[in-house]
Amino acid sequence: MYESFFGLEHPPFQISPDPEFLYPSRVHEEALEHIRFSLNHFKGICLVTGPVGSGKTTICRQILRELNPEGVNHALILNPRLGEHELLQNILSDLGAPLQSDEGAAQKLQDLILELHKVGRHVIILVDEAHVMPTESLEVLRLLTNLETTERKLVQVVLFAQPEMEERLKKESRLLPFRQRILVHCRLAPLRYREMVAYIDHRLQIAGAADEVRFSMLARRAIHRWSEGVPRLINHLCDKAMLSAYVRQDHRIHFGDAQRARRDVGALL
Ligand SMILES: Nc1ncnc2c1ncn2[C@@H]1O[C@H](COP(=O)(O)OP(=O)(O)OP(=O)(O)O)[C@@H](O)[C@H]1O
Ligand SMILES: [Mg+2]
């Protein structure tokens, strides 16, 4: 809406998890490095936890972009409330196997993984929102990571979850074997003030001609305080503050614009 006024080619603060806009803050870069390490060294299960809106799905999509289609077959589970059988079906179909309705899905998947290994292909399963995955389905994933040769595991699993997953793994005794197989764990955290400033500039740069947009220091401080450094809330506030400056036909975003944004965003904060 305000893009052309500010000389931008794209909306800078959309809330979709678009890796094109990824800003490599300390925690996001660390998470990416942990996942790459886990995948490159065949560590089995890797867990990334982070509060709502902190960038988990964005990181997941970035990792997907980095997977080499020449050597990797991957499954992406976006709706992990699936029971065992549906989960197996989903993985099978993502890995390229024809759908099958009978109860032999677990064996079929195991055979497929071994076949893929024989032709030198890696299998990676990514699960977003893993904190809501039923225990039985987590158990299915654990059993898949038991498949291994003497040198390496045949299936790599990367889970993205809200912090409550950590509690769940500690409390549910049935999940103890799963927990013990998580060799790589990292946590996303909110952005610090300086990181948020760089984050805002980065998104504006990717969106086009950022030089036309200037957030005043007071506006930035307020946005950081109200968002508590959570990227999704930063996006909401910046978007509404830019809209407010646009309505005033001013390229500079003042504290008053941030205040108006806060009122608009209201219940989300
Ligand atoms: N490092 C980052 N660089 C650029 N944008 C980011 C970054 N981290 C988060 N965002 C942006 O913040 C918003 C929320 O990110 P995302 O959807 O990935 O969070 P999430 O942790 O998956 O949230 P939820 O817990 O609700 O699933 C998105 O618009 C995303 O693009
Ligand atoms: Mg998400």
Side-chain angles (χ1 to χ4, degrees), residues 13-25 27-29 50-61 128-129 131 160-163 188 191 199 202-203 230-235:
F13 294 110
Q14 286 198 317
I15 56 159
S16 53
D18 183 354
E20 199 58 43
F21 280 86
L22 184 74
Y23 167 69
S25 79
V27 286
H28 291 97
E29 195 51 38
V52 174
S54 59
K56 299 180 293 295
T57 305
T58 311
I59 296 278
C60 175
R61 298 210 174 269
D128 201 6
E129 312 264 8
H131 51 281
F160 298 86
Q162 287 176 18
L188 295 180
L191 302 178
Y199 169 90
H202 179 83
R203 291 196 70 108
V230 174
R232 185 180 290 131
L233 299 180
I234 296 171
N235 285 11

Side-chain angles (χ1 to χ4, degrees), residues 193 197 214-223 252-253 255:
Y193 175 68
V197 171
R214 285 183 304 277
F215 282 77
S216 76
M217 164 105 115
L218 281 179
R220 291 191 306 216
R221 292 245 173 243
I223 289 172
R252 196 171 164 82
I253 293 109
F255 177 69

Side-chain angles (χ1 to χ4, degrees), residues 24 41 52-53 55 57 87 89 94 133 136 150 156 158 165 176 179 189 210 229 235 237 243 258:
H41 293 84
V52 174
T57 305
L87 175 67
Q89 294 288 9
D94 277 9
M133 183 169 252
E136 297 69 36
T150 42
Q156 314 299 313
V158 187
M165 182 75 177
L176 182 65
R179 186 174 141 206
N235 285 11
L237 287 165
L243 189 61

Side-chain angles (χ1 to χ4, degrees), residues 53-253:
S54 59
K56 299 180 293 295
T57 305
T58 311
I59 296 278
C60 175
R61 298 210 174 269
Q62 174 61 28
I63 290 293
L64 274 175
R65 276 174 25 148
E66 294 179 14
L67 298 180
N68 173 10
E70 302 299 317
V72 173
N73 283 47
H74 76 265
L76 172 64
I77 309 298
L78 294 170
N79 169 18
R81 281 187 205 277
L82 303 172
E84 278 170 79
H85 189 66
E86 293 156 301
L87 175 67
L88 287 166
Q89 294 288 9
N90 268 260
I91 297 175
L92 271 168
S93 102
D94 277 9
L95 295 182
L99 274 183
Q100 64 165 56
S101 53
D102 66 280
E103 292 300 311
Q107 187 59 48
K108 177 97 196 276
L109 180 55
Q110 189 166 326
D111 294 346
L112 177 63
I113 290 166
L114 291 170
E115 263 170 47
L116 289 168
H117 171 66
K118 276 196 207 129
V119 294
R121 297 187 67 86
H122 298 167
V123 173
I124 297 177
I125 302 173
L126 300 146
V127 183
D128 201 6
E129 312 264 8
H131 51 281
V132 298
M133 183 169 252
T135 303
E136 297 69 36
S137 302
L138 287 169
E139 186 61 9
V140 167
L141 294 180
R142 181 182 74 82
L143 293 175
L144 288 177
T145 65
N146 277 350
L147 293 171
E148 56 194 341
T149 61
T150 42
E151 319 91 66
R152 69 170 181 90
K153 300 217 171 276
L154 302 188
V155 177
Q156 314 299 313
V157 175
V158 187
L159 304 172
F160 298 86
Q162 287 176 18
E164 67 209 52
M165 182 75 177
E166 294 177 32
E167 279 308 300
R168 197 181 148 199
L169 288 168
K170 273 187 217 149
K171 277 194 194 139
E172 267 188 61
S173 55
R174 280 164 69 209
L175 285 175
L176 182 65
F178 188 90
R179 186 174 141 206
Q180 284 189 350
R181 278 175 179 74
I182 300 173
L183 294 190
V184 179
H185 174 208
C186 56
R187 294 187 176 98
L188 295 180
L191 302 178
R192 295 171 184 164
Y193 175 68
R194 283 187 182 286
E195 290 176 316
M196 185 208 71
V197 171
Y199 169 90
I200 291 174
D201 286 347
H202 179 83
R203 291 196 70 108
L204 288 167
Q205 292 286 353
I206 305 288
D211 297 347
E212 305 250 357
V213 193
R214 285 183 304 277
F215 282 77
S216 76
M217 164 105 115
L218 281 179
R220 291 191 306 216
R221 292 245 173 243
I223 289 172
H224 189 253
R225 195 164 58 249
W226 296 331
S227 66
E228 296 178 344
V230 174
R232 185 180 290 131
L233 299 180
I234 296 171
N235 285 11
H236 278 313
L237 287 165
C238 286
D239 180 53
K240 293 283 189 290
M242 285 182 72
L243 189 61
S244 162
Y246 162 72
V247 170
R248 296 188 299 102
Q249 292 289 291
D250 189 349
H251 282 141
R252 196 171 164 82
I253 293 109

